[in-house]
Amino acid sequence: MTTPPSPTARVLLAIESSCDETAAAVIDENLAVRSNIVASQTAIHSRFGGVVPEMASRAHVQRILPVIDEALVTAGVQLADLSAIAVVTHPGLVGSLLVGLTAAKTLALVLDKPLIAVNHIEAHLYACRMHAGYDIFPAVGLVVSGGHTNLYDCPAATGFELLGSTIDDAAGEAFDKVAAILGLSYPGGPSIQAAARNGSPTAFRFPRTFLKEASRLEFSFSGLKTAVLYMVAGKPPGEYDPASLAPQYVADLAASFQEAVVDVLVGKCVQALQESGRRTLCVGGGVAANVRLRQRLDEVARAEGFTLVVSPLELCTDNAAMSAVAWELLAQGRIANLDLDVSAGLVRKR
Ligand code: KG4
Ligand code: ZN
C-alpha cells in the first residue's frame, strides 16, 4: 500500500550505511516515501564474493553526501524543512555505520534538529508495517538477510525480544557462498533464485538443520553449504572449476538448496507463531525478496490462518526508507544526544 504524500506533513531525513549500501530517504509522518536513494556497492565487492568492510567504509565516505543531496532534491525538500535526522546506528559494520552517523550528527548539530538512532533490524520489519498501511504489531518477526537470520517477538514497532537466531551463517550468507560454489554471480540470492527456476527442488536431499527439533528456535546453514560443496566437488573452492558444471546440474542444486533454506525458515516461523500465540507474521530483509520463500509463506499462512505481511520487494534489501520507524521513536521522545555511538551488535551501546 502506498501512502500519497501530503504537502503539509512533516518530513524527516533518514541515513543508512550499515553494510554495503549508502542510502538516504525522505519520509513524511504519514509514512509516504518522498525519496529513497540507494547507492549499491555490489560492483566493488562482487569479485570477493562478499562485503570487504574497509572498502565498504571508504565507498560510503565518497557517496554519502551526493546520496543525501539526491534524496533531498528528489523529495523537493530543503534542509530547513526537516523535522528530524534519523540514522541507523546498529547492528552492522562499525566502519560503515560511523560514516552515516557522522553525517547525521553534523546535520543535526548544524540545523539544530532532533537526532534519532535507528536499529537496522527494527527498520527491516518496519518495511512490513509501511507496506501494510496499518499497525501490524504485535507480531512474530523474521529478519532474514546477508547478516542476520533472527526470529523476534514484536509486541510493538520497536523493542523486540529475540526468540532465536542462526548459530553460524545467516541465510543470505549461505545463498552468497553457495552461489560462489556453483559459479553463479554475487549477490547469490537473486542468481540462485534465477538458476533454480530451471531445476528440481527434489533432485538432491539436503539437510534441514534443527527443523524437527521442536525445542529450539535456532537456525544453522553452515552444514547445508558444506553439503552442497561436497555434492559438487568434494574439494575446497579453488580446487575445481565451477564453470565446468553442467547447467542442469547447477539448476537442480540451486533449486534443492533453496528449498532446504525455505523449508527451515517457514518451519521455524510457524513454530514461533505457535509458541508465542501471535497471529501475525512479518518478514523482512534481503532474503525476503526470494520468490519461493514468499510463495511458501503465503501457502502456510492460508493453511494455518495467520496474517502474513512480507516486506515489499523494493524495501527488502538495505535502504533508508524503512528507517521511517524513526517517527515511532520521535513520538516516544527517544531523541539521541550528540555523543551517540554505533554498535556492531544487536544491542546499542549506551
Ligand atoms: O538486507 P540485505 O540487503 O543486507 C543485510 O542486511 O545483510 O540482504 C542482502 C542479502 C544477500 O545475502 C543476498 O544474497 C540476499 O539478501 N538476497 C536474496 C535475494 N535477494 C537478495 N536471497 C534469496 N533470494 C533473493 N531473491
Ligand atoms: Zn539489512
Side-chain angles (χ1 to χ4, degrees):
M1 185 178 186
T2 318
T3 313
S6 145
T8 55
R10 294 180 300 157
V11 288
L12 65 71
L13 172 71
I15 297 171
E16 151 75 55
S17 66
S18 63
C19 190
D20 62 336
E21 324 282 0
T22 318
V26 174
I27 317 106
D28 78 20
E29 60 189 325
N30 303 317
L31 306 181
V33 179
R34 301 281 189 89
S35 63
N36 185 20
I37 308 300
V38 182
S40 169
Q41 299 179 12
T42 300
I44 295 174
H45 303 288
S46 57
R47 70 194 160 105
F48 303 103
V51 178
V52 182
E54 182 57 34
M55 296 178 85
S57 336
R58 272 187 255 159
H60 284 308
V61 171
Q62 287 165 343
R63 291 155 192 225
I64 191 88
L65 294 181
V67 164
I68 290 172
D69 260 346
E70 195 180 339
L72 293 168
V73 169
T74 306
V77 161
Q78 310 283 324
L79 284 171
D81 302 333
L82 298 172
S83 290
I85 312 290
V87 62
V88 167
T89 58
H90 66 294
L93 301 170
V94 167
S96 291
L97 288 162
L98 279 170
V99 179
L101 179 62
T102 307
K105 275 187 185 177
T106 308
L107 287 171
L109 177 66
V110 169
L111 302 169
D112 193 22
K113 306 283 181 188
L115 177 66
I116 317 253
V118 170
N119 175 332
H120 181 71
I121 297 291
E122 291 181 352
H124 265 307
L125 292 183
Y126 205 70
C128 305
R129 155 72 183 90
M130 294 166 78
H131 180 59
Y134 63 88
D135 184 5
I136 59 171
F137 303 101
V140 161
L142 172 70
V143 177
V144 65
S145 69
H148 305 277
T149 307
N150 299 346
L151 268 168
Y152 292 94
D153 185 49
C154 312
T158 65
F160 303 161
E161 185 201 338
L162 185 65
L163 297 173
S165 59
T166 178
I167 61 165
D168 42 52
D169 293 352
E173 192 182 350
F175 269 98
D176 295 337
K177 289 177 176 169
V178 167
I181 291 169
L182 299 180
L184 300 171
S185 60
Y186 174 85
S191 55
I192 287 193
Q193 175 176 298
R197 247 180 249 133
N198 306 315
S200 160
T202 55
F204 301 95
R205 183 73 197 164
F206 288 126
R208 270 87 171 144
T209 311
F210 303 151
L211 182 57
K212 294 267 156 33
E213 288 185 46
S215 60
R216 20 198 337 173
L217 269 177
E218 287 171 316
F219 303 90
S220 166
F221 296 106
S222 171
L224 171 59
K225 169 195 66 188
T226 310
V228 176
L229 180 63
Y230 280 134
M231 184 68 73
V232 170
K235 291 180 190 165
E239 289 184 21
Y240 69 97
D241 178 14
S244 67
L245 302 172
Q248 189 56 52
Y249 183 60
V250 169
D252 285 342
L253 283 163
S256 301
F257 160 79
Q258 178 176 260
E259 202 66 11
V261 175
V262 168
D263 269 354
V264 175
L265 293 174
V266 172
K268 289 295 168 187
C269 284
V270 171
Q271 189 185 330
L273 284 162
Q274 284 165 351
E275 287 179 15
S276 65
R278 303 291 191 206
R279 299 305 300 151
T280 298
L281 173 70
C282 53
V283 183
V287 181
N290 186 269
V291 171
R292 182 67 181 143
L293 176 62
R294 297 169 85 94
Q295 183 186 18
R296 290 279 308 282
L297 285 169
D298 219 46
E299 285 166 13
V300 79
R302 255 179 267 168
E304 303 271 333
F306 62 82
T307 303
L308 173 69
V309 192
V310 186
S311 169
L313 277 182
E314 67 277 14
L315 298 185
C316 281
T317 46
D318 289 349
N319 64 87
M322 64 191 187
S323 288
V325 68
W327 284 116
E328 307 268 349
L329 298 164
L330 188 63
Q332 295 165 22
R334 290 168 64 185
I335 295 167
N337 296 324
L338 285 175
D339 63 356
L340 180 65
D341 203 354
V342 299
S343 185
L346 289 173
V347 179
R348 180 155 78 85
K349 272 194 264 169
R350 300 260 158 214

